């Protein structure tokens, strides 16, 4: 079935007890049993809840996966997937990735006997060189946050040694524009807080796979560790996801226009957007993605201080962390989303203090461009064109 049909119908049949057309918010922690050991498939809501099950079915359908697990946040989903590993295992990770993922890997999981190599996964020779006998997992973010670099999912998956798995954080592209499982990945992770929820009103995460054994392990940890979303959050996420397709089309159309506008300004130094012909991996984007998404980054001409000044002057673009909501957001990754990466590491990766990131919303695009234009003009005196 078509993407939008799945988004609106998968897991969302009429409620069996009342006929309610919309899945109810089963706000219950427990379930009354007929007799000891005799229940209706539900015993305790950390383990299973009908509203969460509906969301898990919907999200699995969007990624064309057999199995889905929903979590309280994207980080909880990431941690649950990493739980498939054991002390002594080695992980190969994108060197450009969400700062919170970097923090979890380098500051938390490294204390549990896992080792991580942060590698430019767009360099396949570097990927091959980083593989060790104990490499068990490849963690890919593509497009990356915040530099919008791409990783060739099929090529990295082909390098995976036997017994190792490939996990793709598909948050930026969303399942509407990219299908990592079809390209050879074993698990897809989402921060559903972003495009899937789509309205900046709920935090959540998900892990989707076609591998029954992997799913069993992830489910086991979902229950054993307990990072599950409440029924209200599951319901809000499901409601948001119903309109993912139309929102993504609008995000992308607006982002393309904004990227072209920025690239056309003399006082903008560089624009990072996979949809631009100037993006070094534009050809890979055309091959691997069905669209380029709504995220872009750029640097201004002039000192880094100009960027800080610039983000103070936008009126429609709110200065805020996060992304993927219907409203436009602007941020300075080095001091906001990626502040947990040490300054020296950030500099090495090109995440400068002058890098500005946009989450282009679905407002009228002419209003968005006018907003950016006036903020650029206000700070023009700092530009060294
Ligand atoms: C690409 C990416 N992955 C994962 C996360 C973490 O998700 P959450 O904030 O829902 O825990 C984020 C959050 O910004 C993100 O941008």
């Amino acid at each position: 079935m078509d993407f939008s049909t799945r988004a609106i119908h998968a897991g969302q049949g009429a409620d069996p007890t009342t006929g309610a057309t919309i899945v109810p918010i089963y706000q219950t922690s427990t379930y009354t049993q007929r007799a000891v050991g005799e229940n209706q498939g539900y015993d305790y809501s950390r383990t299973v809840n009908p509203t969460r099950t509906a969301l898990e079915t919907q999200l699995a359908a969007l990624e064309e996966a057999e199995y889905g697990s929903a979590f309280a946040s994207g980080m909880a989903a990431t941690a649950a997937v990493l739980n498939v590993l054991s002390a002594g295992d080695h992980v190969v990770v994108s060197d450009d990735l969400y700062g919170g993922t970097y923090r979890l890997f380098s500051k938390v999981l490294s204390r549990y006997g896992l080792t991580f190599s942060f590698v430019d996964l767009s360099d396949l020779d570097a990927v091959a060189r980083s593989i060790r006998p104990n490499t068990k997992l490849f963690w890919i973010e593509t497009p990356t946050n915040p530099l919008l670099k791409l990783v060739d999912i099929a090529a990295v998956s082909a390098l995976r040694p036997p017994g190792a798995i490939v996990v793709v954080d598909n948050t930026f592209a969303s399942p509407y524009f990219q299908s990592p499982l079809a390209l050879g990945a074993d698990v897809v992770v989402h921060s559903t807080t972003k495009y899937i929820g789509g309205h900046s009103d709920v935090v959540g995460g998900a892990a989707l796979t076609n591998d029954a054994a992997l799913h069993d392990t992830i489910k086991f940890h979902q229950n054993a560790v307990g990072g599950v979303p409440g029924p209200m959050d599951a319901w809000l996420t499901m409601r948001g996801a119903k309109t993912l397709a139309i929102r993504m089309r609008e995000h992308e159309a607006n982002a393309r226009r904004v990227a072209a506008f920025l690239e056309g300004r003399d006082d903008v130094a560089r624009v990072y957007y996979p949809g631009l012909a100037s993006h070094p991996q534009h050809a890979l984007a055309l091959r691997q993605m069905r669209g380029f998404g709504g995220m872009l980054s750029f640097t201004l001409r002039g000192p880094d201080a100009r960027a800080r000044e610039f983000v103070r002057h936008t009126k429609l673009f709110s200065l805020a962390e996060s992304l993927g909501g219907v409203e436009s957001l602007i941020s300075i990754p080095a001091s906001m989303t990626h502040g947990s990466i040490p300054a020296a590491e950030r500099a090495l990766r090109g995440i400068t203090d002058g890098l500005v990131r946009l989450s282009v919303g679905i407002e009228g695009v002419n209003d968005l461009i006018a907003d950016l234009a006036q903020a650029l003009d206000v700070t023009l005196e700092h530009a060294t064109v």
Side-chain angles (χ1 to χ4, degrees):
M1 280 196 220
D2 188 71
F3 188 92
S4 282
T5 314
R6 282 178 268 138
I8 293 166
H9 291 283
Q12 298 169 79
D15 181 52
T17 50
T18 63
T21 305
I22 299 304
V23 173
I25 303 165
Y26 279 95
Q27 195 72 46
T28 185
S29 62
T30 191
Y31 306 83
T32 300
Q33 311 195 5
R34 288 195 202 95
V36 175
E38 208 185 298
N39 61 43
Q40 300 180 64
Y42 298 94
D43 51 2
Y44 186 59
S45 276
R46 170 161 37 75
T47 317
V48 64
N49 175 282
T51 316
R52 192 173 92 218
T53 303
L55 170 66
E56 292 173 337
T57 308
Q58 179 201 37
L59 296 182
L62 294 186
E63 283 290 1
E64 298 191 60
E66 279 295 315
Y67 312 102
S69 308
F71 292 89
S73 67
M75 291 320 305
T78 300
V81 171
L82 268 286
N83 274 330
V84 308
L85 301 182
S86 301
D89 290 345
H90 171 245
V91 181
V92 176
V93 195
S94 293
D95 64 350
D96 182 32
L97 83 167
Y98 170 57
T101 308
Y102 175 86
R103 179 175 54 201
L104 175 71
F105 291 179
S106 62
K107 300 230 168 74
V108 181
L109 297 176
S110 60
R111 296 183 7 250
Y112 290 80
L114 299 179
T115 49
F116 297 89
S117 297
F118 294 91
V119 178
D120 178 356
L121 297 187
S122 61
D123 175 351
L124 293 174
D125 290 335
V127 178
R129 280 197 307 275
S130 69
I131 297 172
R132 303 179 190 167
N134 59 340
T135 301
K136 290 287 161 55
L137 194 146
F138 293 77
W139 185 274
I140 299 177
E141 225 181 80
T142 182
T144 61
N145 181 1
L147 290 171
L148 284 304
K149 282 203 287 193
L150 302 190
V151 177
D152 187 332
I153 298 170
V156 173
S157 298
L159 290 173
R160 159 190 48 192
I165 62 167
V166 171
V167 184
V168 176
D169 181 336
N170 204 22
T171 299
F172 263 40
S174 91
Y176 187 66
F177 284 139
Q178 184 168 267
S179 300
L181 298 178
L183 294 166
D186 301 285
V187 183
V188 168
V189 163
H190 279 284
S191 167
T192 58
T193 315
K194 311 298 181 333
Y195 287 110
I196 287 180
H199 297 75
S200 305
D201 52 10
V202 58
V203 171
L208 303 315
T209 183
N210 280 317
D211 183 317
L214 266 176
H215 174 66
D216 284 350
T217 310
I218 293 168
K219 266 277 162 219
F220 173 81
H221 284 99
Q222 183 194 40
N223 182 49
V225 181
V228 293
M232 181 75 197
D233 285 1
W235 187 89
L236 272 172
T237 305
M238 187 164 45
R239 183 170 74 164
K242 292 183 197 194
T243 54
L244 185 60
I246 53 170
R247 283 188 286 105
M248 290 314 295
R249 289 197 287 266
E250 289 293 305
H251 281 296
E252 196 212 22
N254 283 1
R256 280 177 182 244
R257 289 275 308 278
V258 168
F261 159 75
L262 290 170
E263 206 172 44
R265 291 267 313 202
D266 288 343
D267 60 326
V268 171
R270 180 160 176 197
V271 183
Y272 302 82
Y273 182 61
L276 288 172
S278 60
H279 189 285
Q281 294 166 297
H282 183 58
L284 175 57
L286 287 169
R287 205 164 71 234
Q288 175 164 280
M289 305 175 76
R290 292 180 290 273
F292 310 109
M295 296 301 298
L296 62 89
S297 295
F298 60 100
T299 48
L300 299 176
R301 290 201 195 281
D304 289 346
R306 183 179 175 213
R308 284 185 100 87
E309 195 57 18
F310 169 72
V311 301
R312 278 199 325 118
H313 282 94
T314 55
K315 298 188 171 89
L316 288 175
F317 281 85
S318 304
L319 179 60
E321 309 232 352
S322 202
L323 60 108
V326 291
E327 65 291 311
S328 292
L329 303 179
I330 191 165
S331 68
I332 303 272
S335 37
M336 297 172 72
T337 46
H338 291 66
S340 53
I341 300 177
E345 289 274 339
R346 284 201 309 265
L348 272 177
R349 293 172 198 184
I351 307 172
T352 63
D353 291 345
L355 185 76
V356 180
R357 191 188 78 178
L358 298 182
S359 172
V360 180
I362 64 170
E363 303 95 331
V365 70
N366 293 330
D367 297 329
L368 296 180
I369 289 173
D371 189 32
L372 294 171
Q374 65 78 25
L376 286 169
D377 291 344
V378 171
T379 59
L380 208 50
E381 66 191 86
H382 303 291
T384 43
V385 182

